[in-house]
Amino acid sequence: MADTPSKEPRLAPVAPSSRPVSEALLNDKWDRAISSAVIRGSLGLSFGVVFSVLLFKRRRWPALVGLGFGLGRAYEEADVAFKNGPTRSGTDGMRLVRS
């Protein structure tokens, strides 16, 4: 049985991405910024809708304010991520002291 050729096609190895590292980092930052905007915006909108129904007699402005807070927070995080260089994993939220 070892002499019979297998009928499964052989797959060629996938070449690593030819994009530069800086472009990959920028793409990761954009992915994180967009996903954060979607998540935080929808959470803010949902909290606004809940408060609108419970406290404000179904007005529109609490939902819009919640959406604005969520998108503003996502924008702030993305701004910090784009202005700062790449962070080392495991050091988020930790203070680095150089001696």
Side-chain angles (χ1 to χ4, degrees):
M1 293 251 168
D3 295 334
T4 61
S6 68
K7 295 185 181 189
E8 295 178 18
R10 289 192 175 204
L11 299 174
V14 177
S17 176
S18 61
R19 293 185 304 197
V21 175
S22 62
E23 185 176 343
L25 288 174
L26 187 62
N27 287 341
D28 288 341
K29 287 181 182 181
W30 270 110
D31 289 342
R32 191 169 298 198
I34 291 171
S35 65
S36 177
V38 168
I39 291 170
R40 292 187 188 278
S42 62
L43 283 174
L45 181 66
S46 63
F47 276 113
V49 167
V50 168
F51 282 119
S52 173
V53 169
L54 294 178
L55 299 176
F56 297 109
K57 299 180 185 176
R58 297 186 186 192
R59 308 262 175 162
R60 177 190 272 182
W61 67 267
L64 294 178
V65 168
L67 177 66
F69 278 124
L71 290 177
R73 180 66 182 142
Y75 176 80
E76 185 66 29
E77 285 184 4
D79 190 40
V80 168
F82 281 113
K83 285 184 179 179
N84 293 339
T87 59
R88 289 179 252 159
S89 62
T91 59
D92 293 337
M94 294 175 54
R95 182 175 176 191
L96 297 176
V97 178
R98 295 183 183 175
S99 54

